[in-house]
Amino acid sequence: MTESHKKFSVVTIFPDMIQSYLACSILKRAIEKGIITVDVHNLRDYSTDKHKTVDDYPYGGGPGMVMKPEPFYRVMECVWPVKETRRVIMLSPRGRVFSQDVALELSKDDREMVFLCGRYEAIDERVREYLIDDEISIGDYVLTGGELPALVIIDAVSRLLPGVLGDDQSAEDESFSKGLLDYPHYTRPEDFRGMRVPKVLLSGNHEDIRKWRKQQSLKATLQKRPELLKTYTLSNEEIILFEQIKEELS
Ligand code: 9D3
């Protein structure tokens, strides 16, 4: 059994936002099991003035405030003085867009992962220039800060680490990163307010069930996310099932 441990750290002016999510559910379990560690550092603790200022007016004018460089440089120098053992990730709307592929890449990096969360309009450019190794956005919508994105990334990366999920859960991952949507799921009761579970799922015929699920996956993908099919290579069986679906829908 190979021992793997991943360390995440988050620098933020809202440490409670991070702590409250980590206190719940699967990530809490992963921390208790010793598979991951998440350290949270309050950026304000690294401010030098008596008012613990972390932001200031933008040079050149314009709306909003800019986060000062000094507290970020000080926290890096105090906590992670050695560049080689850390991967500093800035959460920013200007970053490369997060995806399952990026999650996989991060899960394979043995360095400690340090997330810098911004608030206000922006972070001083000199933080980006000298402190960071990577800049990531979680998608094209506007949030109020980098804390949720940091949690999204920690969540997605953690569940890829051995031991975080149960064995039965981990295997299915591949189908998503390979690009088909999930098939419909049902549990008891068989008849819920007149809505019945599809007969095939009650048949006990595993081959029929497998085919039905594959067909449902293809159908959902074609209807909701047709662009995923451009990069997905259909097997011979899938080609036949796919033809049937298109006929059905026409
Ligand atoms: C008008 C310019 N705005 C950029 C779209 C300014 C701005 C808005 C919101 C700057 C930062 C933010 C706060 N967002 C993040 O820090 C952030 C974010 C996001 O808003 N969406 C998706 N991913 C991310 S990662 C960090």
Side-chain angles (χ1 to χ4, degrees), residues 59-199:
Y59 275 118
M65 300 295 274
V66 176
M67 296 187 87
K68 293 159 68 66
E70 180 76 17
F72 285 107
Y73 274 74
R74 289 191 73 223
V75 70
M76 293 310 302
E77 287 156 3
C78 288
V79 189
W80 304 278
V82 183
K83 241 184 166 18
E84 285 68 34
T85 57
R86 66 188 201 205
R87 176 173 184 158
V88 184
I89 300 173
M90 180 187 222
L91 289 318
S92 137
R94 281 175 48 169
R96 63 181 175 133
V97 180
F98 191 62
S99 66
Q100 191 64 22
D101 287 340
V102 177
L104 209 59
E105 178 199 324
L106 297 182
S107 75
K108 290 173 181 163
D109 190 331
D110 288 330
R111 289 174 293 177
E112 173 176 355
M113 218 159 275
V114 180
F115 295 98
L116 304 184
C117 303
R119 282 272 150 177
Y120 313 110
E121 274 302 292
I123 300 178
D124 189 286
E125 186 65 15
R126 290 162 291 190
V127 172
R128 186 190 332 268
E129 273 176 342
Y130 292 105
L131 292 185
I132 74 157
D133 302 301
D134 208 346
E135 189 176 4
I136 299 180
S137 159
I138 61 163
D140 293 336
Y141 37 84
V142 184
L143 301 169
T144 55
E147 286 76 9
L148 285 174
L151 285 170
V152 164
I153 295 170
I154 292 169
D155 196 278
V157 172
S158 295
R159 65 183 292 289
L160 293 172
L161 303 173
V164 171
L165 297 183
D167 287 343
D168 51 330
Q169 282 170 288
S170 22
E172 83 174 287
D173 262 4
E174 247 174 294
S175 77
F176 182 75
S177 38
K178 275 193 195 155
L180 285 189
L181 298 184
D182 209 356
Y183 50 78
H185 298 257
Y186 295 87
T187 186
R188 289 186 291 186
E190 198 180 312
D191 182 330
F192 175 67
R193 302 187 180 185
M195 297 174 276
R196 301 194 62 84
V197 174
K199 266 207 179 66

